[in-house]
Amino acid sequence: MGNWDTTLSFLKGRISDDVFNVWFKTIECKRVTSEHVELVVPSEHHINFIENQFVGLIEEAIVETMGRPLRVKLRAYGSLPFDDDYTSEHDVVPLSDLSNNEGGLNPDYTFDAFVVGPSNQFAYAAAVAVAERPAENYNPLFIYGGVGLGKTHLMHAIGHEVQTHTNKRVTYLSSEQFTNELIVSIERKEMSDFRERYRTQCDVLLIDDIQFIAGKERTQEEFFHTFNALHNNLKQIVLTSDKTPQEIPKLEERLQSRFIWGLVADIQRPEMETRVAILKKKAASQGFYLPDDVAMYLANNVNTNIRDLEGSLKRLAARAKVDGKSVDIDLARADLQPFLKQRAAQLNPERILKLVSNYCNVKLTELKGKGRTKQVAYARQLAMFLGRKHTGLSYTALGKAFGKDHTTVISAVRKIEDLLQNDPATRGDMEALERNLLA
């Protein structure tokens, strides 16, 4: 089950190695149907623990990697398959077919469920405009931003709105699914069917994580012609990515130019007030009360992305249910402590230095050295600003990590703060660096 391998890889990036090795490494995927994924685990103990702690996370990962919400069913090794809806191997729905099943849309991802704030209001307004008048406003619409900030949510919301108010045919899939279907179609000599499905049987094409077609020559060639066919026939195209078209390495120039024909809209990390609003709305939708002090605590400490924020809320609610306790600040502090320790270990000066070194094409020795060329000084200032913002270290401690004194760090932080207010290029560099740092 190739797509389950992708799901496991996605999960591995969201949890610690120890947790993954104990609870996830031994999971086997037996079947994927149109409604659920059947997973086999070593014991009943594994079933109980995974159901209590990780089912929500697994189902989120399935949406991200398989392009469709599927229910998780767990059984132990040696037990019989589920009989209530058992199908033979020939009845199992191919993963590639899921992309066209009712558009492959997550029913929870609607405009009503989306919390709008300064960090995402431009992308939200663009998505609404596209949904109201497909192929008339912003074609293509290209939404970019870091992991877990709501790009996929907006994309699905467009699909739902179009399906509700028009008779247009909506297709959602990931770029990986597009590539996989292309490969299968080539092997089976069914390219005419593949092209008809995406060029003539589709009115609104939604493709997630388009950056992953970069470097794949045949996929880029096929998507180039698919894009042209749809655009020329006034069909709407919506794409998401973690980078702007110009920032995607190994993406053909002809695709880069087409991706910016319409509108490029970014989603940034949500600010404090939006994070609180997201938590409140999510808790209400799940039917439990979230005290204001708990919402503020979670929002203040989980500022990476919405996915992590909602994940922290799910873990807290699950822990309260298992322990038979109410959701309060003490429980929130105890539950969030492992996350805070893990984040502190990841956000350190050495990682920031390496990230800035690669991004700015400046050697580590130069960043820590005495060089004062414009490129080196700017890169060093970016690194110091990131260090001050994300590590919690003092100016003195940061100065030691960079081989400088604390006054140099203070000066660098103030310089970048000024540039962020007045220089769009610096804002772009900082957004790109933070997307990678907090991914």
Side-chain angles (χ1 to χ4, degrees):
M1 293 272 180
N3 278 57
W4 175 248
D5 291 337
T6 304
T7 304
L8 275 180
S9 297
F10 180 90
L11 286 165
K12 192 170 184 180
R14 299 285 309 280
I15 55 181
S16 70
D17 289 342
D18 288 342
V19 170
F20 181 84
N21 290 333
V22 171
W23 299 107
F24 290 86
K25 202 170 184 179
T26 55
I27 296 177
E28 293 182 14
C29 180
K30 289 298 183 183
R31 289 189 302 148
V32 179
T33 75
S34 61
E35 296 182 351
H36 71 263
V37 176
E38 183 178 322
L39 304 178
V40 180
V41 296
S43 68
E44 291 294 331
H45 175 64
H46 278 73
I47 292 175
N48 293 334
F49 192 83
I50 291 171
E51 283 182 342
N52 286 329
Q53 299 293 327
F54 298 120
V55 160
L57 181 63
I58 294 172
E59 290 180 344
E60 285 180 25
I62 287 169
V63 170
E64 292 291 332
T65 57
M66 298 188 186
R68 176 175 173 79
L70 297 171
R71 191 159 47 94
V72 169
K73 286 191 172 185
L74 297 166
R75 63 182 178 89
Y77 290 162
S79 62
L80 294 174
F82 295 103
D83 292 326
D84 54 345
D85 55 357
Y86 183 78
T87 55
S88 71
E89 182 177 355
H90 298 290
D91 295 325
V92 175
V93 178
L95 292 177
S96 60
D97 288 349
L98 293 176
S99 62
N100 289 321
N101 188 359
E102 297 181 353
L105 302 176
N106 185 331
D108 295 330
Y109 289 174
T110 64
F111 284 129
D112 287 341
F114 192 83
V115 177
V116 183
S119 59
N120 58 32
Q121 60 187 2
F122 179 61
Y124 173 81
V128 170
V130 165
E132 290 177 346
R133 301 178 68 181
E136 295 182 39
N137 293 317
Y138 316 132
N139 195 20
L141 175 60
F142 190 101
I143 304 173
Y144 76 94
V147 173
L149 296 182
K151 303 185 299 296
T152 299
H153 189 142
L154 282 181
M155 176 177 275
H156 285 233
I158 291 171
H160 283 303
E161 197 73 9
V162 172
Q163 285 183 333
T164 301
H165 298 290
T166 75
N167 60 358
K168 294 183 183 296
R169 297 162 296 181
V170 176
T171 297
Y172 165 82
L173 72 164
S174 67
S175 63
E176 181 190 23
Q177 285 175 288
F178 185 86
T179 299
N180 290 342
E181 289 189 36
L182 172 62
I183 293 169
V184 171
S185 298
I186 293 171
E187 291 174 347
R188 295 179 179 176
K189 298 181 180 180
E190 297 175 350
M191 282 303 298
S192 60
D193 293 340
F194 177 86
R195 287 166 180 158
E196 184 177 358
R197 182 159 65 249
Y198 291 113
R199 298 183 192 181
T200 62
Q201 295 180 355
C202 173
D203 298 310
V204 178
L205 179 62
L206 315 172
I207 295 197
D208 228 343
D209 292 323
I210 195 65
Q211 72 272 14
F212 291 126
I213 72 170
K216 299 171 181 174
E217 293 182 10
R218 183 62 191 269
T219 301
Q220 291 190 78
E221 175 75 19
E222 195 61 37
F223 188 72
F224 172 76
H225 294 295
T226 298
F227 183 102
N228 287 343
L230 292 171
H231 199 275
N232 291 340
N233 288 296
L234 300 179
K235 309 297 185 183
Q236 179 68 50
I237 303 162
V238 182
L239 308 170
T240 71
S241 171
D242 63 348
K243 304 175 181 68
T244 66
Q246 298 91 331
E247 290 177 330
I248 301 174
K250 298 183 180 180
L251 181 67
E252 293 178 0
E253 188 175 341
R254 59 181 178 171
L255 285 175
Q256 287 184 7
S257 66
R258 279 160 176 75
F259 290 174
I260 61 175
W261 274 357
L263 180 70
V264 177
D266 72 316
I267 296 183
Q268 301 176 12
R269 287 186 298 125
E271 55 291 309
M272 181 68 168
E273 294 81 3
T274 304
R275 295 198 297 273
V276 171
I278 289 169
L279 288 167
K280 286 284 193 176
K281 190 162 191 171
K282 192 70 175 179
S285 70
Q286 294 179 355
F288 71 93
Y289 172 70
L290 183 67
D292 290 342
D293 59 341
V294 176
M296 291 291 290
Y297 177 77
L298 293 177
N300 189 52
N301 285 284
V302 185
N303 57 9
T304 48
N305 58 56
I306 296 169
R307 190 177 298 153
D308 287 343
L309 189 66
E310 292 184 345
S312 68
L313 183 65
K314 286 181 180 179
R315 287 195 306 272
L316 180 60
R319 181 165 183 168
K321 185 176 181 180
V322 170
D323 294 349
K325 297 179 179 179
S326 59
V327 174
D328 59 24
I329 191 66
D330 291 333
L331 189 67
R333 287 187 176 124
D335 188 68
L336 204 58
Q337 205 58 40
F339 170 82
L340 297 178
K341 287 181 179 178
Q342 183 181 24
R343 186 179 65 177
Q346 291 175 341
L347 298 179
N348 56 68
E350 284 304 315
R351 182 171 174 227
I352 290 170
L353 280 165
K354 289 178 183 177
L355 176 66
V356 174
S357 171
N358 291 331
Y359 181 82
C360 296
N361 197 25
V362 173
K363 294 179 180 177
L364 277 172
T365 52
E366 292 178 309
L367 283 176
K368 291 185 174 183
K370 297 180 179 180
R372 295 186 179 181
T373 65
K374 187 175 181 180
Q375 182 184 11
V376 171
Y378 177 64
R380 187 183 296 131
Q381 289 163 354
L382 287 172
M384 289 179 173
F385 178 88
L386 286 168
R388 179 61 179 169
K389 182 177 179 180
H390 293 290
T391 67
L393 295 176
S394 66
Y395 287 117
T396 301
L398 282 171
K400 187 176 181 180
F402 283 87
K404 307 293 178 183
D405 60 43
H406 71 283
T407 58
T408 302
V409 180
I410 293 172
S411 176
V413 170
R414 289 175 178 170
K415 176 68 175 177
I416 295 299
E417 285 175 343
D418 182 59
L419 288 173
L420 288 173
Q421 292 292 325
N422 304 297
D423 181 31
T426 301
R427 287 198 294 272
D429 288 336
M430 187 58 63
E431 288 170 9
L433 285 166
E434 288 193 314
R435 282 200 301 272
N436 286 302
L437 180 65
L438 301 174

